[in-house]
Each structure stands twice: as C-alpha cells, then as structure tokens.
Amino acid sequence: MMGRYVILMLVAAGEFSMGILGNTFIGLVNCIGWIKKRKIASIDLILTSLAISRICLLCIILLDCFILVLYPDVYATGKQMRIIDFFWTLTNHLSVWFATCLSIFYFLKIANFFHPLFLWMKWRIDSAIPRILLGCLALSVFISLVVTENLNDDFRCCVRTKKKTNLTVRCRVKKAKYSSIKICLNLLTLFPFSVSLISFLLLILSLWRHTRQMKFNATGCRDFSIEAHMGAMKAVISFLLLFIAYYLAFLVATSSYFMPETELAVIIGELIALIYPSSHSFILILGSNKLRQASLRVLWKVKYVLKRRNF
C-alpha cells in the first residue's frame, strides 16, 4: 500500500517540478524585461499573472497530496482545512480567469472584424488589462471566502472515517453538503471556459474569412496574419483541452469523498490535475517568439557550461 503511495508522490513531485520550471521561466523573463524597459506589455502582464497563479496552484495541490499521505491528522482540524481550501479555490479560479483573459486578448489583437463593438474593445483592451486582472482577483477572493465559510470544521475528520459507525451517516451528510457547495461554486469556472471557447470559435471564423480574402489577393508572400491566427488558436485550444482534463480530475477528487479508498482517489485526481498548470506553460513558451528565443538562449548557455566541464 505504501509503495503505491510512494510512486504516486514521486509522479506528483515530477509534475510539480516541471510546472514550477516552466511557469517560473515565464515570470522571470517577463519581469526582467519589465525592469529593463520600465514598462510591461499587456500580453506579458497577463502571462506573468497566469504564471504566478499557476505556481501557487501547483504548490497547493502538491501540499494537499503530501499532507493527505504523510500527515493525515492535519485533516482532522478545520483551521488547516479552511486555509488549504481557500488558497486552492483562489488559485484555481485565478488560473482559469487569467487564461481566459489571455484568450480574449489573442482574439481582440489578432481577429479581423469590423463590428463597432469589436473595434472599440480592440482599441481599449491594452488600457483595460490591469483593471480586468484586478477584477479577476477580487472575484476569485470572494468565491474562495464563500467556499471556506460553508466548510464544516469536522469535515476532514469525516474524510478519514472508515468504520461503519453512527458517525458514518452524519459524515455522509456533511460530505454531500460540502461537495455540492464546492462543485456548484467551481461550476462558475465554466463561464470563463465558455468565453475562451467562443473566442476560439471566433478566431476560426476570422481565419476562414481571411483565408478566403487571400485566395482573391494571392501575392505569394508570407502571411503573418495566418501565422498569428494559428499560434493563438494553438494556445487557446491547448488551454481548453487541458482544462477539461483538469476539471474532470477535480470532480474525481471531490466525489472521492464518497468512495472507500478516499485518499487514493484524491491523489489520482490531483495527479491528473497537475498536468494542466504544468504542461500549458511549455505550450505558451513555444507559442511566444520572445519566450521561445529566451529558452533557446538558456539551453545554449547550459549546453556550453556542461561542455566546458566535460559532462
């Protein structure tokens, strides 16, 4: 039994390390550029905010895994449970909302539409980004407070209950109440997911219209608009697919409170959940010329140092 948990913990640590590496790289590159130029582009601000939220999310998920396996008694106290659930809900919502902001930004900057509302939003998006990000933070904090406010102090103690006693029925009621509240509140993340999906579909429409126009005005030159469309679509569709896997994993972890092997089900759900914030960062790095070139420079320097040390 312990051997199985050790393997799962090693996998979780590997996913965590990759996610921290990718997101920290994004944050450092953008922050260094911010310090040098004394200003930051809207896209870099969104990416940095997204990277920070995912670093925190990765830390919370890994912490929850290790506490559940190594220090299960911590779950018997409501205070620690409230702190963990607050930060997990906060970072979860922040990550989703910031990724949605990224999808909207790609859509407004790259798509070609001539509707007055679209043109107005395209013109105002750069100045509105800081306020939008602060609004996402405020909304996420509010949702997190609601989650912790509706959390029973002895809920985690019920999670550890295995024996068929009179406490089982009471715990089942508490689990059902808590899980239903948490699932309903996290269903709010389906709204930003829907916005990202709409942005993706509109990008496809914009690309289709642009391709049709190019057929009538063929110049044989390289079309940067199509490349921009494709790059943005890859970033958005990767977020959508990874978020679906993440959300299903969250449902598994939440519904696992009703399963006999609660800890194992939670850990497996969290392992799947770690894939989303870990892998999407590398997709964003490959999709950004600035980040991709910076990563190539870092890899070249690492290769040079290792070569000089005869590794």
Side-chain angles (χ1 to χ4, degrees), residues 110-112 206-207 210 222-231:
I110 295 173
N112 295 313
S206 175
L207 177 62
H210 180 74
R222 185 180 180 183
D223 192 339
F224 292 100
S225 179
I226 291 180
E227 292 182 6
H229 274 81
M230 296 302 296

Side-chain angles (χ1 to χ4, degrees), residues 45-61:
L45 181 60
I46 297 173
L47 288 172
T48 302
S49 302
L50 180 60
I52 294 172
S53 68
R54 285 178 170 171
I55 289 172
C56 297
L57 179 61
L58 286 164
C59 292
I60 291 296
I61 294 177

Side-chain angles (χ1 to χ4, degrees), residues 13 18 37 49-50 59 79 83 92 97 100 110 127 132 162 167 242 247 254 257 272 275 277 292 298 307 310:
M18 294 300 293
K37 298 180 180 179
S49 302
L50 180 60
C59 292
K79 185 177 180 180
I83 294 173
N92 175 37
W97 279 104
T100 301
I110 295 173
S127 60
I132 292 173
K162 298 294 183 182
L167 185 63
L242 288 170
Y247 202 82
T254 304
Y257 297 136
I272 300 173
I275 298 174
R292 186 171 62 251
V298 170
K307 187 176 180 179
N310 297 322

